[in-house]
Amino acid sequence: MTELEPVQADGGLASSAAPLRAEKPSLAGATREGVGAALADIGTPQREIRMRSAQLWHWIYHRGASSFDEMLNVGKGLRGALKERFSLARPEVVSEQISRDGTRKWLIRLAPVDGRDRGAEIECVYIPEADRGTLCVSSQVGCTLTCSFCHTGTQKFVRNLTTAEIVGQLLVARERLGDFPGRAPPADGVVPGEGARFISNVVFMGMGEPLYNLGHVADAIGAMSDGEGLSLSRRRITVSTAGVVPRLPELGERTGAMLAISLHAVRDELRDRLVPLNRKYPIADLLAACRAYPGASNARRITFEYVMLKGVNDSPAEARELVRLLKGLPAKINLIPFNPWPGSPYECSDDATIGRFSQIVFDAGYASPVRTPRGRDILAACGQLKSETEKLRARALLAAD
Ligand code: SAH
């Protein structure tokens, strides 16, 4: 594997929307109910709330408005009242890195949630492909799961993201890509060329375990898929989980999103080591929950992710066992070449081994299963995300010493 030089690494980027500073609550990222409640708060008559909510919704999510002044069909008085109490600030982009393959990674700083919060950071990745543009979003700062091959797993869990912080990642990405109709693209950025795909898909495969933040994830999916706003089809939103079995039915019922399962091993003894959550919810329970997943069908298959770790889980016998385990399930298999990170204890399986594994899976009727690593040069690939928050803290402590 060759590591490429990033073509751009910008350390001091400021988002064109004003950075979020806890004083006024922001409506960028609010749910429909949240927008309605904000209007009620400033005394909007009940009979107007539906209509006004729809107007605000359109401006915030369809037009990407970053100030209330732009909302010319909203009366001046109401705009003034909104401005006094609320903002449209989005999370602040502190750096943007662009890989040689076009993948981008944004480091996003979140506003403090309370007096003790020192400010948290998350990462979010945009992956352009010929037929789609995928945004990989985070659901938590850090993670509680400690999967042994995942960089985020080495970072301490800090907190769940709010609904607005999850939706905010899509707003920030659209803004940086120049993807709001009628708005000028950012003057300090690079936007995709003519005919390029903007964001057609969202995957919850960034930092965190989405099912441990299901309420906010479900509300965020509601806002992202609302046809009068960001308008992403729920079938183009995928939630990836390490397998929080008791929350799978609720995920299916509340969101209608596509499901991806981080399987990675076919024996409990090995999966216990790779994905420690397996000790709580072993493979048989996980697959039983998948068989019962609401809405799964041949047209809406469940994706099983399988990271290829050299000499650990990549034998032909394991490929055959994988196929046997998934028999009868409407499944797709995604083989993910392991993406290394500084100090990682595993190596990626070699090409011939991945080829052999994939052939066995293919012969059993599953098509093109190897995921091309994207953005490895900027540590943007699966499992490489880890914000600098911890390092910054360590530096601050050293300085204090
Ligand atoms: N917690 C969720 C979502 C985050 S990870 C989950 O476990 O599914 C998204 C995907 O990247 C998961 O399949 C995860 O197992 C995989 N992954 C993590 N670290 C990786 C690495 N270093 N190389 C390749 N894939 C990795």
Side-chain angles (χ1 to χ4, degrees):
M1 179 202 51
T2 35
E3 292 292 321
L4 304 170
E5 281 298 306
V7 292
Q8 185 196 322
D10 184 346
L13 195 76
S15 157
S16 65
L20 186 50
R21 290 276 169 264
E23 311 106 36
K24 288 185 201 169
S26 173
L27 296 184
T31 57
R32 284 247 184 202
E33 297 74 52
V35 171
L39 285 164
D41 249 24
I42 55 169
T44 310
Q46 197 55 39
R47 61 177 192 287
E48 277 184 30
I49 287 191
R50 253 177 87 102
M51 186 264 289
R52 295 290 176 205
S53 293
Q55 285 179 324
L56 283 182
W57 191 263
H58 179 82
W59 279 108
I60 297 170
Y61 290 122
H62 183 72
R63 306 286 291 270
S66 57
S67 88
F68 293 108
D69 296 329
E70 292 171 47
M71 305 181 174
L72 292 179
N73 59 350
V74 176
K76 227 175 164 182
L78 181 54
R79 271 189 271 147
L82 283 165
K83 224 157 67 178
E84 201 138 288
R85 286 284 310 282
F86 302 101
S87 79
L88 288 172
R90 299 177 185 147
E92 181 187 5
V93 177
V94 277
S95 78
E96 172 171 276
Q97 285 177 284
I98 306 184
S99 159
R100 286 263 286 273
D101 68 16
T103 300
R104 293 175 195 222
K105 181 169 80 170
W106 294 288
L107 177 66
I108 294 175
R109 186 176 300 141
L110 306 171
V113 284
D114 58 35
R116 284 173 309 160
D117 188 345
R118 299 269 159 274
E121 287 165 358
I122 48 164
E123 291 184 325
C124 165
V125 178
Y126 163 71
I127 308 144
E129 288 172 277
D131 61 343
R132 67 179 69 188
T134 303
L135 188 71
C136 176
V137 299
S138 294
S139 56
Q140 299 182 315
V141 184
C143 191
T144 55
L145 294 181
T146 65
C147 297
S148 55
F149 53 90
C150 178
H151 203 191
T152 311
T154 66
Q155 178 181 357
K156 274 208 213 76
F157 173 72
V158 180
R159 67 174 172 86
N160 278 337
L161 296 188
T162 63
T163 301
E165 288 166 342
I166 299 171
V167 180
Q169 295 170 65
L170 180 51
L171 292 175
V172 158
R174 283 223 159 134
E175 177 196 331
R176 294 299 310 162
L177 294 169
D179 189 19
F180 279 117
R183 286 187 83 73
D188 60 346
V190 183
V191 298
E194 191 105 351
R197 298 283 158 172
F198 293 103
I199 298 161
S200 58
N201 294 59
V202 165
V203 295
F204 283 80
M205 294 186 188
M207 296 160 69
E209 170 47 52
L211 296 202
Y212 280 147
N213 188 15
L214 184 52
H216 294 159
V217 165
D219 282 347
I221 292 174
M224 289 172 169
S225 60
D226 188 297
E228 288 169 4
L230 293 161
S231 294
L232 276 174
S233 155
R234 286 171 188 265
R235 302 184 53 150
R236 289 176 171 270
I237 300 177
T238 300
V239 175
S240 177
T241 176
V244 188
V245 166
R247 306 222 172 136
L248 283 172
E250 188 184 342
L251 174 73
E253 279 150 21
R254 275 186 71 177
T255 69
M258 303 298 283
L259 175 64
I261 300 284
S262 295
L263 192 62
H264 307 321
V266 292
R267 286 171 288 118
D268 282 322
E269 173 271 321
L270 176 59
R271 194 164 190 271
D272 283 350
R273 281 187 280 135
L274 299 180
V275 184
L277 184 67
N278 193 67
R279 296 178 200 148
K280 225 167 161 182
Y281 308 117
I283 295 173
D285 296 4
L286 178 55
L287 295 182
C290 290
R291 287 180 202 281
Y293 187 69
S297 68
N298 280 339
R300 294 169 62 83
R301 289 169 192 268
I302 298 174
T303 300
F304 288 88
E305 297 160 281
Y306 196 96
V307 63
M308 299 301 295
L309 303 170
K310 189 178 202 157
V312 175
N313 65 353
D314 59 356
S315 70
E318 283 161 311
R320 285 190 290 271
E321 179 60 10
L322 176 61
V323 167
R324 198 191 64 78
L325 279 177
L326 300 185
K327 213 169 172 177
L329 257 164
K332 287 192 275 197
I333 295 170
N334 223 217
L335 300 181
I336 314 176
F338 171 65
N339 293 306
W341 32 273
S344 54
Y346 300 103
E347 282 176 70
C348 182
S349 312
D350 50 51
D351 289 351
T353 308
I354 298 179
R356 216 166 15 217
F357 199 102
S358 124
Q359 190 63 46
I360 294 170
V361 168
F362 182 81
D363 288 346
Y366 302 96
S368 58
V370 183
R371 186 185 291 178
T372 315
R374 297 291 303 265
R376 268 186 179 173
D377 52 326
I378 54 167
L379 285 182
C382 295
Q384 292 187 313
L385 302 186
K386 178 181 177 180
S387 72
E388 293 288 298
T389 315
E390 271 187 299
K391 286 188 207 159
L392 290 175
R393 283 219 183 103
R395 246 178 266 149
L397 280 177
L398 274 178
D401 264 359

